[in-house]
Amino acid sequence: MRKHIVISSLFVLTLTACGSSSSTTSDTIVASDTTMVAEDEAVVDASASTVVDPTDAIVNADGSISINVIVGTDDYDTLAGERVVKVALGSAVTITLTDANEDQDYHLHVYDVGAEAKKGEPSVISLIVDQAGQFDVESHTTGKTLLVLVVE
């Protein structure tokens, strides 16, 4: 389980703590002015608070959000439901999906946008998220959920 701490967005500091065992834990902190919240999932809010595990999403310099998914490696079904990314309502979001094993037909539910890709080639879904809720990105080829996008 990953733990993320949100303060607000100006600088990023990664703290790594080592205990007496061989395991290492790491917290990503993004900070600036106000609120502090503990989360179990990545939170991405380009307009206010921002914290992100780099494997979940990246907030770009222009405030847009990039999410990369490698099918069969770090997707929702492969990670047993752990691939959930929260973004702020109104954010520009780009989701890049790549499957090294087969051709794909991807779809983001409710927004009704999708993309196709040949085996091993990236496919991109870009949009402004203007509806709040929880939305699945799935493969119409396999029927698997690849990412859950939560818009708040």
Side-chain angles (χ1 to χ4, degrees):
M1 177 180 282
R2 294 174 288 195
K3 181 176 94 176
H4 299 279
I5 300 173
V6 177
I7 300 179
S8 275
S9 58
L10 269 194
F11 63 90
V12 175
L13 172 66
T14 300
L15 304 174
T16 304
C18 297
S20 57
S21 69
S22 61
S23 67
T24 300
T25 59
S26 177
D27 290 330
T28 302
I29 301 174
V30 179
S32 134
D33 37 341
T34 23
T35 322
M36 183 168 164
V37 181
E39 290 287 337
D40 287 337
E41 299 156 343
V43 174
V44 181
D45 179 344
S47 64
S49 299
T50 305
V51 69
V52 63
D53 178 332
T55 62
D56 286 336
I58 297 168
V59 178
N60 302 305
D62 65 358
S64 65
I65 299 162
S66 297
I67 303 167
N68 294 306
V69 178
I70 306 299
V71 177
T73 300
D74 65 0
D75 62 79
Y76 182 87
D77 277 2
T78 301
L79 297 177
E82 291 292 319
R83 193 64 197 264
V84 177
V85 178
K86 292 181 182 180
V87 298
L89 185 67
S91 298
V93 177
T94 299
I95 303 167
T96 303
L97 302 120
T98 307
D99 186 337
N101 299 312
E102 64 186 308
D103 293 352
Q104 282 286 353
D105 180 11
Y106 303 110
H107 184 250
L108 175 58
H109 287 277
V110 177
Y111 283 95
D112 204 26
V113 294
E116 295 181 354
K118 295 287 184 193
K119 174 180 159 180
E121 294 181 8
S123 181
V124 177
I125 297 173
S126 293
L127 70 155
I128 305 294
V129 289
D130 60 359
Q131 299 177 62
Q134 180 173 310
F135 310 101
D136 294 349
V137 176
E138 79 167 12
S139 164
H140 278 189
T141 305
T142 64
K144 291 183 178 182
T145 300
L146 304 173
L147 173 73
V148 174
L149 186 66
V150 177
V151 180
E152 299 178 328

